[in-house]
Amino acid sequence: MASESRYIEAPFSYSGEIKHNLYSLFWTLDKRVDCSQPGLEKCEIENCSEKLNVVPRKEAPIGPEWDSDHVGVWTDDDEPHSVVNVKWKLTADAGLFKLHGSVIRIQDETTNQSMCVQFSFRIDNVLNPDDERWTFSLDGVVVEPGRTYTVTVYNLPEPENGDYRIEKQIAIPGCSDRRIQRSLPCLQNGSLWDPHMSSDLSVDKELKKLSLVLGFEAAQYSETYKVSIQSHSFLCSKNILKENRTYLNVTFKFGLWQLSQCDLLITIQPFFIRCKNDCVRWENTLNYCQYYPPRTSFIKTAVGLLVIGVFLAFLMWRVSHKDPVIISSSAEEEQPEGFKVQERKRVLIIYSLDHPLYKNIILKLCAFLVTKCGTEVVLDLLDSTRLGVLGSIQWLDWHRQEIERSSDKILILCSKGVQAKWRAMCGDKQVFLREDALSLVGDMLSPALSLMVPHFIRSASFEKYIVAYFDDVCSEEDVPSPFHITVRYKLMKQFEELFFRILDTEKHKPGSVNRIEGLSEGEYHHCPSGRDLQEAIEAFQVYQLEHPQWFEDELLESSELEVEESSAQICEDAKITTNFFTGFEPGSTKIIIPVETQESFTINRLNLSEECHMHITAEYKPLIIENLQAV
């Protein structure tokens, strides 16, 4: 009996010896070379033929019947795989003598990949030697947990008109099902992982310090873990690598004054190779007050200060948000139930510094998103200190990873510079823009494209990216080809639709249309920040009409580039000659480095793996999107 597994490439190849790829190939562990059985001497398993095998309907055998199917785990080359076995039987009548064989086709409803196998045989007796109906099966078909497969079986030859095919769907259970928990896909998702966490807590009553050592067992398919402890407004996290160890320890030290409750919530987040950032987290609660007597007066004082802090934060929020999103209302007495936004969204904006007037549009758009829409904006121009310390690639990649772990978005604003730089990355002439040369951080778009385009085209990251352009100063032709596969929003004509994407909700729903007052093309400029944005767009539009070759005028030759870079360096040197400092605040990744006048310095490494911070959550008025218009 053959020892190799069988690999079936959609839609035909049944066997082979090429290395398989679990994500792109349909394959089976069935090691049989034929389907012979007692009383049936010649039965071959082969690829499905593209040639149609049909006869007049009265000469065709009727269809088969289902017998059973079974889901389980098979081991091949010491690797456990989740598989399904499908069995069918033939109808016991005279039509069996017309049979040439049977065909079974299995299709993955998630990927539309399919496999097709043909059983070729001739039958001389209506029943098998055990006086039972003839039965056939395809065993060991490797399947993915949680997916649905459509199975079709029919006899050959088929009738010219109509068919006698039978079809059913087989739903493969998820990794919580004991039948397939030990399969490789489930193990790579952490189906059997139990950290068996232990804790060792000690309290220094004199210094009022608490030390907590957590130990847990590492999993086979996870190299990185994020361990967090939380107590009300206090949160501290550490990242830890397995590094070939089977048991890991992590230590936390902090002051008792930072804790306002007795219970500590401990969370261990693994990063398995399949589920990555979306793996099941392990949580446990630890009460530390049994190690330290209650501090009633201190807790009352802390609660009082917390209430005052929240109140002050709320007042500051009311003062700073002079231009909130206005909730749509209707003149009708009864209002439909609205959709409430529970959290404030964050947007990383990627763009090209095409022109000073275009940069002004970007800044005004950020102001509009912050003041009118209540959205947190991440922009290189507004974070130059941290960007200068980290470097462009590290700054971009850090924000990208943070967004992929959350429901936040990356907004790519396309323009002539974006298209020109993308073409330069694909082999065209290099592009140097005057604004990039004058900027202290240089060209941020090219590293952003090289870093984010591979993640954009992956289905798992696709929803994180939003593509748009200002149609008054840009055009559809300014959108690079990789972004043609998604919706391109025209600003400010389709800003409301874009904002719904940021909120992860739909504007159009069955029977209704969601609207937000003050964000449409005819309304956004009624508020101060929207009016500034409109004026910035109009100013650049007028400039383009007066200077048709404006973009070519912004391009620099290599000689001009050297002059511009020298000027920028002189400007940078002038800033270095003055005393300045920046800072690192735990949880915000801000770096504090004292620098003396006229002294050079080097930052060798920035470790952001540990995030410990106190925070006070100020309540703000949630956005409410009303269902205003019936379809």
Side-chain angles (χ1 to χ4, degrees), residues 25-26 62 73 175 255 304 365 401 413 455 486 496 582 607 616:
L25 294 180
F26 235 142
I62 64 174
V73 175
C175 289
L365 174 65
Q401 293 180 21
L413 295 175
H455 294 274
T486 187
E496 189 178 35
T582 55
N607 187 353
I616 297 176

Side-chain angles (χ1 to χ4, degrees), residues 55-75:
V55 295
R57 189 175 184 85
K58 62 181 181 179
E59 300 178 13
I62 64 174
E65 296 180 7
W66 292 117
D67 191 325
S68 63
D69 56 75
H70 172 74
V71 176
V73 175
W74 280 22
T75 300

Side-chain angles (χ1 to χ4, degrees), residues 64-68 86-89 151-153 166-168:
E65 296 180 7
W66 292 117
D67 191 325
S68 63
V86 183
K87 185 182 294 187
W88 67 97
K89 54 189 175 183
V151 184
T152 305
V153 179
I166 58 174
E167 181 178 290
K168 69 175 178 180

Side-chain angles (χ1 to χ4, degrees), residues 370-383:
V370 172
T371 59
K372 178 65 178 176
C373 304
T375 304
E376 182 182 347
V377 173
V378 179
L379 189 74
D380 52 4
L381 293 175
L382 305 179
D383 198 15

Side-chain angles (χ1 to χ4, degrees), residues 344-513:
R344 190 175 188 180
K345 298 293 183 177
R346 179 175 53 172
V347 178
L348 169 63
I349 297 182
I350 304 299
Y351 65 101
S352 172
L353 282 170
D354 290 6
H355 191 275
L357 293 176
Y358 184 70
K359 180 173 72 172
N360 190 42
I361 293 176
I362 300 298
L363 293 173
K364 299 302 182 184
L365 174 65
C366 294
F368 182 73
L369 283 168
V370 172
T371 59
K372 178 65 178 176
C373 304
T375 304
E376 182 182 347
V377 173
V378 179
L379 189 74
D380 52 4
L381 293 175
L382 305 179
D383 198 15
S384 58
T385 300
R386 189 185 309 174
L387 198 155
V389 173
L390 292 177
S392 58
I393 291 292
Q394 290 81 0
W395 186 87
L396 288 166
D397 192 48
W398 185 82
H399 280 295
R400 179 190 63 77
Q401 293 180 21
E402 287 294 306
I403 287 175
E404 286 197 351
R405 294 191 188 104
S406 64
S407 61
D408 300 325
K409 297 291 185 289
I410 298 175
L411 174 58
I412 302 174
L413 295 175
C414 297
S415 62
K416 285 185 177 295
V418 174
Q419 180 67 279
K421 291 177 182 179
W422 170 251
R423 289 177 177 173
M425 293 173 63
C426 295
D428 283 6
K429 182 180 177 182
Q430 291 296 312
V431 175
F432 303 102
L433 291 175
R434 191 181 308 277
E435 283 299 303
D436 285 337
L438 295 174
S439 173
L440 296 179
V441 298
D443 176 18
M444 289 290 292
L445 176 69
S446 296
L449 290 177
S450 63
L451 182 66
M452 295 180 181
V453 167
H455 294 274
F456 171 81
I457 61 179
R458 284 181 8 211
S459 59
S461 305
F462 187 79
E463 62 180 12
K464 296 291 184 183
Y465 295 83
I466 303 175
V467 179
Y469 62 93
F470 291 94
D471 62 335
D472 288 328
V473 295
C474 305
S475 69
E476 182 83 14
E477 297 177 354
D478 298 332
V479 180
S481 56
F483 303 135
H484 289 177
I485 61 176
T486 187
V487 178
R488 283 87 69 194
Y489 295 96
K490 298 179 180 180
L491 303 180
M492 296 294 289
K493 184 181 298 181
Q494 297 174 331
F495 180 81
E496 189 178 35
E497 287 83 351
L498 182 146
F499 189 62
F500 276 108
R501 274 288 305 278
I502 295 176
L503 298 179
D504 278 327
T505 188
E506 298 291 337
K507 178 178 180 179
H508 299 276
K509 294 184 176 180
S512 64
V513 178

